Amino acid sequence: MRIRSTLTRLAVPAAAIGLLLSGCSADTGVTASTVDLAGKSDINPMDPSALQDGGNLRMPLSSFPANFNYLHIDGGDESSSSVVTPTLPQTFSSDAKGDLTIDHNYFTDIKLTNTSPQQVTYTINPKAVWTDGTPITWEDMRSQAQAMAGADRGYQVAAVSGFDRVEKVERGVDDRQAVVTFNKPYSEWKGQFNPLYPKSVTESPEAFAESARNTLPVSAGPFMVGPIDRTQNRITLVRNPKWWGPAPKLDTITFSVLDHSAWLAAIQNNEIDYAYMSGLEMVTGAQGTPGVVVRRASEPKFSHITFNGAPGALLSDPKLRIAISKAIDRQAIVNASQHGIVTDPEPLNNHIYMMGQKGYQDNSAPVAFDPQAAAAELDALGWKLNGDVREKDGRPLVLRDVMYQQDAWVDTAKIVQEGLAKVGVKLEIQTVPGTGLFTDVIDPGNFDLAQFSWNGSVLPLGALPQIYAYDPNNLQGNKARIGSPELNAKIEETISELDPQKAIELANECDKMIWEEGYSLPLNQASGTYATRDNLANIGAFGMATPDWTKVGFLK
C-alpha cells in the first residue's frame, strides 16, 4: 500500500470493497470481524534467502491505466497505483499497525525541523538515481510540490495533498537535501511525496498530463515499466538495472487486464498468481484450488454510494438526499454480502476512520434507516406519489445508479432499488466496464448515484480536502460536487491542527457535517481477502503494511 494522506478510487470497488469478505480461513473456516483483523497482515513472511532468485509474478488489473502519472486526475486509481508502486520512490513505509518509518532506500532522514513556520527537511539517499542515470535531487521535489499546488496553472491533480500549503521548497546543504517550508500548518505532511516523480513529469502542465500517459519512461524503484502490449492488455515490470538497494527476488511482474468475474478462473487455471477475491463463491473457489491459499487482513478501504449533488442535478437538495438515504438499508446490504463470512457484519459509520482505527466513531445518525420517515420527508418536499413513482412539478423521481460491471455491485444496487421502490423512488441500474467508469461517467458527473470504493491510507485526514471540501473550480476527488463554506472551514481547521488527538476530534466534527449534508453512504470496509499461490512469500493480505517488492518472490 502506498502511504498517502489521500484516497485512491477503485475501479473495482466491490472487487469488493463493498462486497468484501472478512472471509473464511482456508484451514479452519473460522469467521472474524473486520475489527478483529485490524493491525495485522497475512503475507507468509520469509527471509529473502529462502526465495528463488527470479520468477514472474502475474497479477490482474481491472482496467488499463489511463495515465501512469498517479498524481494526475486520470491516473489516480487502483490500476495506476498497482503498476507504479514498485517503480517509484516513497518517503515512509508502514507496518501492519500503521506505524511509519522512513524508507531508507530513498531518504536517509526526514525530520520536522520547525513548527513556526512548519518546516520539513528531507535528506535524499546519495545512491538514489532515476532510471536514466540522473540523481534524485531537491529539484524533483520542488517541481512536484509546485505542480501539486498548481491547479490554477493548469495542473489537473488528483489531490492537492497539502501542497497548497507549501510556501517553498529550497535546496538544503547540497542537491540531495530539500527543505520544505509551509505557509500554513499541515497535519499529515508524512503523506507528501508518496510517490515521488521525476521533474520531467511535473515540470509543466503538459508534461504532467501527457509525459506518462502511455508509459512511465523514467522511474526509480526496484522495478521499472518494461514491455506494454495494448493488444493483449498486458504490462510487464522488469528489474531496474540502476537500482541501488537490495536486489529484488523476482525478475518480472506482469499485469493483465481482466474483468473481475474472470479472476477466480484465472487463479484456478494458473494464469495469475495473486488476486483479490470477493464474494463467498470466489473465496471458497480459491480455497478449494490446489496450490492456492486465501490470505486475509483488514484494509483501509471502503465501498460507498455517492450522490450527485451538483447545482441543477436532481439530487442537489440535501434534504432530498437525506430522505433517500433513510430508505436505503445499509445493514441489509452488509448482511447480504458478508453472511456466513463475517461474524456480526456491520456497515462502516464514518467517512474518515476505519473500524479498529484510532478515531473511529459512529456519526451516521442523520441517515439511520427509517422508511416511514423517508416517505414523510419526501412528501414534505413536494415529491408526491403518482402511481408507484413520486413526481414533483411533472418530473418523476427516477434515479440512475452507475457502477463497475460486476455482479457483486449489482446485487447491492438491487437491494437499494427494492428499498427505494417502497417509498416511491425508481432506481435504474447502469453497469460500466472498469475502463472509462471514472473518466467517462463519474468524473463528468453523469450519474445520480455512483457505487465505487476509496483505497485509503494510514494517514486519513488528507481525504478531507481531497474529497469532501468543495471548490467548483477545482473539484479534486469531490465526485459528488457537494459541500459548504462551513465544512470547508472545519476541514481547514482540522488539517492545520498538529496535535494528533485534537485533529481526531476535529475530523469527527467534519464527519458529522458530511453525514448531515447527505454526501455519501459508506457501506463497509475491506477485510482484504487475497488468493495467493502457496509458494509465494512476503505477499498476500498486507492490511496497513507497505509491500516490500524486493522481498516478494517464490520459495525455493
Side-chain angles (χ1 to χ4, degrees):
M1 174 176 294
R2 179 74 54 187
I3 302 304
R4 296 185 66 192
S5 59
T6 54
L7 294 180
T8 303
R9 64 200 185 190
L10 301 188
V12 189
I17 294 206
L19 300 170
L20 259 205
L21 324 170
S22 277
C24 303
S25 163
D27 298 322
T28 66
V30 174
T31 61
S33 72
T34 299
V35 175
D36 293 336
L37 295 172
K40 300 178 182 179
S41 60
D42 183 6
I43 62 171
N44 190 26
M46 292 285 177
D47 188 275
S49 63
L51 307 185
Q52 300 175 28
D53 187 16
N56 175 42
L57 175 66
R58 302 164 298 171
M59 300 196 292
L61 293 176
S62 61
S63 61
F64 205 95
N67 198 317
F68 291 81
N69 180 2
Y70 182 50
L71 309 175
H72 189 273
I73 190 169
D74 289 344
D77 60 22
E78 177 79 346
S79 293
S80 297
S81 175
S82 296
V83 173
V84 305
T85 291
T87 73
L88 289 169
Q90 62 184 14
T91 51
F92 290 89
S93 298
S94 173
D95 65 12
K97 295 181 180 179
D99 294 331
L100 300 179
T101 55
I102 298 168
D103 189 328
H104 290 294
N105 285 320
Y106 304 104
F107 295 89
T108 58
D109 196 21
I110 302 173
K111 287 182 179 178
L112 180 64
T113 47
N114 200 357
T115 57
S116 184
Q118 183 179 348
Q119 202 166 63
V120 182
T121 300
Y122 296 81
T123 303
I124 302 166
N125 186 328
K127 298 179 180 179
V129 296
W130 299 109
T131 50
D132 62 4
T134 59
I136 299 174
T137 73
W138 74 280
E139 292 183 345
D140 296 299
M141 302 182 74
R142 178 181 64 179
S143 180
Q144 182 158 317
Q146 292 175 341
M148 296 298 284
D152 60 338
R153 293 181 287 113
Y155 285 91
Q156 295 179 296
V157 299
V160 173
S161 303
F163 285 104
D164 54 337
R165 296 164 172 265
V166 171
E167 179 178 335
K168 57 186 176 181
V169 179
E170 298 175 293
R171 183 178 184 269
V173 296
D174 56 26
D175 284 348
R176 295 287 194 164
Q177 189 174 79
V179 180
V180 179
T181 303
F182 293 76
N183 53 35
K184 290 187 290 186
Y186 183 56
S187 60
E188 293 201 324
W189 56 270
K190 290 183 180 180
Q192 295 185 311
F193 302 108
N194 271 304
L196 175 65
Y197 276 84
K199 62 182 179 181
S200 59
V201 173
T202 57
E203 61 188 353
S204 70
E206 294 73 25
F208 194 75
E210 300 299 334
S211 66
R213 171 122 355 229
N214 298 313
T215 188
L216 186 57
V218 179
S219 57
F223 292 91
M224 56 188 288
V225 176
I228 295 178
D229 187 336
R230 291 184 178 270
T231 302
Q232 297 294 322
N233 273 334
R234 187 169 295 137
I235 301 167
T236 302
L237 305 185
V238 300
R239 288 186 181 182
N240 173 8
K242 300 288 187 180
W243 175 246
W244 59 94
K249 303 305 293 186
L250 295 168
D251 284 325
T252 54
I253 302 172
T254 301
F255 296 94
S256 297
V257 177
L258 296 172
D259 186 87
H260 186 258
S261 63
W263 289 12
L264 174 59
I267 282 284
Q268 292 173 325
N269 296 332
N270 197 21
E271 296 168 355
I272 57 176
D273 302 305
Y274 174 67
Y276 198 94
M277 295 289 107
S278 64
L280 182 59
E281 181 180 353
M282 292 188 74
V283 172
T284 55
Q287 288 172 336
T289 302
V292 173
V293 62
V294 174
R295 304 195 182 281
R296 301 184 301 115
S298 180
E299 297 178 330
K301 302 178 182 180
F302 68 99
S303 65
H304 57 90
I305 300 169
T306 282
F307 298 102
N308 183 355
L314 182 56
L315 298 179
S316 60
D317 183 353
K319 293 181 180 179
L320 178 57
R321 297 193 298 267
I322 291 294
I324 288 171
S325 297
K326 290 179 179 180
I328 297 175
D329 190 347
R330 294 187 301 130
Q331 184 65 58
I333 292 171
V334 174
N335 288 345
S337 64
Q338 299 188 334
H339 176 70
I341 300 167
V342 177
T343 56
D344 300 321
E346 56 185 283
L348 181 68
N349 291 317
N350 197 295
H351 292 84
I352 311 303
Y353 296 103
M354 301 294 100
M355 287 185 282
Q357 187 174 24
K358 184 178 181 182
Y360 179 81
Q361 65 184 46
D362 183 349
N363 295 320
S364 66
V367 299
F369 180 57
D370 189 341
Q372 290 185 334
E377 290 173 20
L378 289 169
D379 283 334
L381 290 169
W383 290 97
K384 303 297 185 179
L385 275 174
N386 183 1
D388 294 330
V389 180
R390 294 176 181 271
E391 289 185 356
K392 181 178 181 180
D393 300 328
R395 183 178 189 180
L397 191 49
V398 179
L399 305 176
R400 188 162 50 89
D401 185 9
V402 303
M403 68 212 69
Y404 176 68
Q405 188 174 299
Q406 181 187 342
D407 289 347
W409 276 125
V410 174
D411 290 343
T412 290
K414 287 179 178 178
I415 296 174
V416 176
Q417 185 181 55
E418 181 180 358
L420 292 182
K422 292 178 180 178
V423 297
V425 180
K426 183 178 179 179
L427 186 75
E428 297 177 344
I429 300 171
Q430 178 185 344
T431 61
V432 182
T435 300
L437 173 62
F438 291 102
T439 55
D440 298 337
V441 180
I442 294 178
D443 289 346
N446 188 18
F447 66 93
D448 296 308
L449 282 69
Q451 296 177 199
F452 61 101
S453 296
W454 288 115
N455 185 0
S457 166
V458 298
L459 298 169
L461 300 189
L464 286 166
Q466 178 198 0
I467 301 173
Y468 304 111
Y470 179 62
D471 177 353
N473 299 314
N474 182 20
L475 292 172
Q476 294 192 73
N478 191 330
K479 310 303 181 188
R481 294 161 170 79
I482 293 170
S484 68
E486 294 78 14
L487 178 57
N488 286 354
K490 184 61 67 174
I491 289 172
E492 171 69 21
E493 183 182 1
T494 303
I495 62 173
S496 298
E497 179 55 63
L498 296 181
D499 181 304
Q501 184 56 45
K502 180 62 175 176
I504 286 174
E505 295 171 4
L506 291 170
N508 274 299
E509 291 179 22
C510 290
D511 187 53
K512 291 175 182 177
M513 297 171 72
I514 293 166
W515 285 103
E516 289 167 355
E517 65 183 10
Y519 183 101
S520 65
L521 293 175
L523 300 177
N524 59 275
Q525 75 185 79
S527 61
T529 312
Y530 292 84
T532 311
R533 295 282 156 209
D534 61 6
N535 63 338
L536 275 170
N538 301 317
I539 189 172
F542 289 97
M544 293 270 190
T546 305
D548 184 341
W549 290 101
T550 67
K551 295 181 178 179
V552 175
F554 294 91
L555 296 170
K556 290 180 179 178

